[in-house]
Amino acid sequence: MRVLLLVLALVSVFVSSAIPQIQHTLSLVPMPADVQMGTGQLLIDPSFSVAITGHTDVRLQRAVDRFLSDLRRLTGMLPLDMKPADSPYATLVILSGTGGKDIEELGEDESYKLEINNSAATLSAATTLGTMRGLETLLQLVEMTPNGFAVPAVAIQDKPRFPWRGLMIDVSRHFIPLDVLKRNLDGMATVKLNVFHWHLSDNQGFRVESKKFPKLQGLGSDGLYYTQDEVRDLIGYAGDRGIRVVPEFDMPGHSTAWFVGYPELASGPGPYAIERQWGIFDPAIDPTQERTYKFLDDLIGEMATLFPDQFFHIGGDEVNGKQWDANPKIQAFMRLHDLKSNQDLQAYFNKRVQLIVTKHGKTTLGWDEVLHPDLPKSIVIQSWRGQDSLAAAAKQGYRGLLSYGYYLDLIWPASRHYAIDPMSGAAANLTPEESQRVLGGEACMWSEYVSPENVDSRIWPRAAAIAERLWSPQNVTDVNSMYSRLDEISRRLDWLGLTHNSSYALMLRRIAGTDDISSLRVLADVVEPVKDYTREETAPAVPTSATPLNRVVDAVRPESTTARHFTELVDALLAGQASPETKAEMIALLHQWRDNQTNLQPVLDKSFLLKEVAPLSRDLSALGGTGLNALDYLDRSELAPDDWKTEQLGLIEQAKTQKGQLLLMVAPSVQKLVEASAGHAASLVAK
Ligand code: ACM
């Protein structure tokens, strides 16, 4: 067997040396700390084999099995038997130091070294965790070449910038089943995110089985919750991928679902029902009664056993205090204990809860509202209302995480998340010691407007840009490079079973009631959902958990690749850098948009779900025509008349307003063309 492997390795060398060198841009996300390109490539063919040398354990073996399985998926070499082989003749030799901690800890060594030449690859790491990160890098390096699948010769030394790189998924507003979480954990592993923050309880649902307090899930979840066995299953799945699982039980606000079964915990009289709408609600835990703490001691004790991670999130956000204000007993308690404000009362509550969490061996984590000098320095602050609280916490001696700027539900472009660095703003002025307290950050997927069907598309690929911000060196900031690598990684995630791309066409087909969605896609490809919290503000009816998420706004991508590309084309043109191909491509797009209305109208007529996008289709058609006219003026070096310009700008302004909670993302670039055609940019156009 060894001889055979050696022979195959030699064949690989021979084949590789005959291949012309291709200049590589590696599509790695996150970009490793140090990459040195070599020459040549290592073919990934049916003879591919892996050997584990040094330390080994079942987790590492499972990681290698998973690597091989992913490799099969990426190459389609399904029937091939790519079994781990003995050293030293394997294609990939893994040198792993130690297995690491039984329960993954914050700050464990994730570094690795990956060296690939024409005949073999060596992956060395101090821990299994580092090996897993390196295997993900190796998978990302696999590419199609004229001679077969291959990885380029390269030497990579890599380690994360921050030890805490998380993704939070809210499973309360909309329940997200276990299999959907698992595939998203696969996505996390791909981009080296290492903390899954499980937002398990909120006003709209208590989503985990409590055996001590079965009415929590029994009456507070509509039957949509994870059993403790399922929780253990998910934790094991995450652990296998080097991902810690941090549970959040949001209290004392965001807790209506608890009170359906246990109204005695609340600060108001009740009765309570599961909240069906979105927003901030009045119900809050009563922090003044001892039975509250007895209950929390039992519940936290139970959950601290179920969730092995060191950290335990107690929420703490958005308590409006109205139930506290309205309760004379609570007011009397505040006077008695000299608690001057609801913030003081919440700090009193947090302090008591923190003691319970500590008693059960865990470290408390909370949203930035919990930052209060009465709380011990051991707690960790998750900054979401602004970046300053992160620096403020670090200055006061608290460790912190950044989530402000990383809210995926705001439907921002990846570039906007990417530009936000945990060490920027007030954090830029921290001393080295204070900076150490910034542990990293978390992307947050709040689930008011996500379902199991579209949650992947709201997370990916944008979360990968945040993953890079948290892993790669601070100076990795090239937005164009990020986007081109993001496009590639997005395609890779398809093979791993994520549905961010596949759900799009499926949903459009259902919305259209036909498989012929070509004209609908022309429109859908250039619109995005409204941003920030406009979805709530512009809703046609008060949105609830019963509102179907089956509209065009639910199907389209958070970020339109076509619109971004069109912007690049227009910018190149107006900078005088457009090649004839660039211009031809732009004209083809404008033609397509102008003519699309005619093709799309019969489809629109057949679907009640498409009525709301009819005005957008007309706008897109008009924008296409306007863009073509502007290009005509530019081409003829003729200044567009003022009245034409005024009319077109009016039309564009109108086209920029949301319709069906969607934005036409090409309007601003068409506006640039119009302004240039009526301005002084005509001479810039390359002929
Ligand atoms: C939050 O977004 N309320 C933490």
Side-chain angles (χ1 to χ4, degrees), residues 263-339:
E264 63 273 19
L265 291 174
S267 305
Y272 294 92
I274 294 173
E275 189 54 67
R276 304 298 176 189
Q277 296 184 18
W278 318 136
I280 299 173
F281 299 94
D282 299 347
I285 290 176
D286 184 345
T288 69
Q289 52 181 7
E290 282 312 306
R291 68 176 169 193
T292 292
Y293 300 104
K294 172 75 183 81
F295 182 99
L296 290 176
D297 190 7
D298 288 347
L299 179 66
I300 291 170
E302 182 183 18
M303 294 304 154
T305 307
L306 181 60
F307 291 91
D309 197 76
Q310 181 58 41
F311 291 84
F312 195 94
H313 204 307
I314 62 165
D317 55 322
E318 299 181 314
V319 183
N320 73 14
K322 286 187 186 168
Q323 277 200 338
W324 294 346
D325 295 340
N327 183 327
K329 192 191 69 139
I330 291 175
Q331 292 303 306
F333 181 93
M334 288 172 71
R335 282 191 296 277
L336 185 67
H337 290 81
D338 199 26
L339 299 169

Side-chain angles (χ1 to χ4, degrees), residues 168 173 199 248 250 254 317-318 367 369 384 407 446 533:
M168 188 217 76
R173 270 49 174 244
H199 185 82
E248 179 185 350
D250 204 345
H254 284 282
D317 55 322
E318 299 181 314
W367 297 106
E369 285 95 331
W384 74 279
Y407 269 32
W446 298 102
Y533 295 111

Side-chain angles (χ1 to χ4, degrees), residues 53-97:
T53 64
H55 171 85
T56 187
D57 56 34
V58 287
R59 192 164 73 136
L60 181 57
Q61 280 158 13
R62 281 200 298 264
V64 172
D65 282 345
R66 210 166 47 248
F67 164 80
L68 289 171
S69 151
D70 288 348
L71 195 57
R72 286 187 201 104
R73 292 211 232 183
L74 284 170
T75 60
M77 294 199 272
L78 197 62
L80 304 173
D81 190 22
M82 297 197 274
K83 281 269 167 40
D86 286 349
S87 176
Y89 303 118
T91 329
L92 169 63
V93 176
I94 293 172
L95 260 160
S96 210

Side-chain angles (χ1 to χ4, degrees), residues 27 34 38 46 56 147 173 192 218 227 242 313 377 389 392 453 479 506 561 573 588 595 600 629 656 663:
S27 288
D34 185 66
T56 187
N147 301 73
R173 270 49 174 244
K192 302 180 173 62
T227 65
H313 204 307
K377 304 295 186 222
S389 58
E453 187 178 39
V479 172
L506 275 175
T561 306
L573 182 86
D595 300 341
L600 183 53
N629 285 338
K656 282 187 195 166
L663 297 168

